[in-house]
Amino acid sequence: MDPTADRDLRTSRLELRPLALVDTEPLHALWTAPGVRQYLWDNEVIPFDRTREVVAESTCLFETAGYGLWAARLHSAADLVAFGGYWFFHEPPRLELLFGVAEPHFLKPLANDGKLSPHLPEGTPFGLVGTSSLYKRESFPN
């Protein structure tokens, strides 16, 4: 039995499940695409083995801690269109939110009427860019 099977999620547009070995090749393609790697890997084309190590570590994190990285696919397609989840960064390690979206699949932003936050005036798209620390940050969208 797959220990991550009960962690599959569905939204109105996406199916999300913890990264698995079968995601290694499409994840590597996403991570080495120019529009993703410039933010995620400082424009370095990482070796395939590095992707395999991350997938293995994420699988272990889900099994032991209940979090890791998710694969996201549109309901209408089998292609990996995004990934996201919690990952350890820095020394000493601390959890941060990490995500990326495949370039041809940038999703339309949600409408923003400006009523939810003074830091997101009307018309500013909702969403995150890059990684977001779980610690207090003093930065806001421009």
Side-chain angles (χ1 to χ4, degrees):
M1 183 172 162
D2 180 0
T4 62
D6 63 338
R7 292 188 173 101
D8 293 358
L9 303 172
R10 291 179 64 89
T11 71
S12 61
R13 293 189 277 185
L14 299 171
E15 296 176 7
L16 297 100
R17 65 175 171 71
L19 284 177
L21 186 59
V22 298
D23 299 313
T24 307
E25 192 169 320
L27 184 64
H28 187 258
L30 191 152
W31 282 357
T32 56
V36 175
R37 75 170 186 247
Q38 70 178 341
Y39 300 106
L40 184 62
W41 300 105
D42 297 326
N43 219 27
E44 178 187 347
V45 177
I46 62 164
F48 186 79
D49 285 345
R50 177 68 181 123
T51 305
R52 185 179 305 143
E53 291 168 4
V54 170
V55 170
E57 187 173 345
S58 179
T59 300
C60 183
L61 280 171
F62 268 109
E63 291 172 357
T64 60
Y67 57 81
L69 298 176
W70 300 81
R73 290 173 170 76
L74 295 171
H75 291 299
S76 59
D79 295 339
L80 182 71
V81 297
F83 75 94
Y86 292 116
W87 202 252
F88 285 99
F89 291 93
H90 309 289
E91 285 299 325
R94 63 180 188 223
L95 280 177
E96 292 192 14
L97 180 63
L98 173 70
F99 69 94
V101 179
E103 293 172 278
H105 297 284
F106 288 151
L107 302 174
K108 287 192 230 176
L110 299 172
N112 175 11
D113 63 7
K115 296 177 183 172
L116 291 178
S117 171
H119 304 296
L120 292 170
E122 184 175 353
T124 305
F126 291 114
L128 300 171
V129 177
T131 63
S132 176
S133 174
L134 295 176
Y135 292 86
K136 182 178 177 186
R137 290 179 57 145
E138 296 297 333
S139 61
F140 303 102
N142 310 11

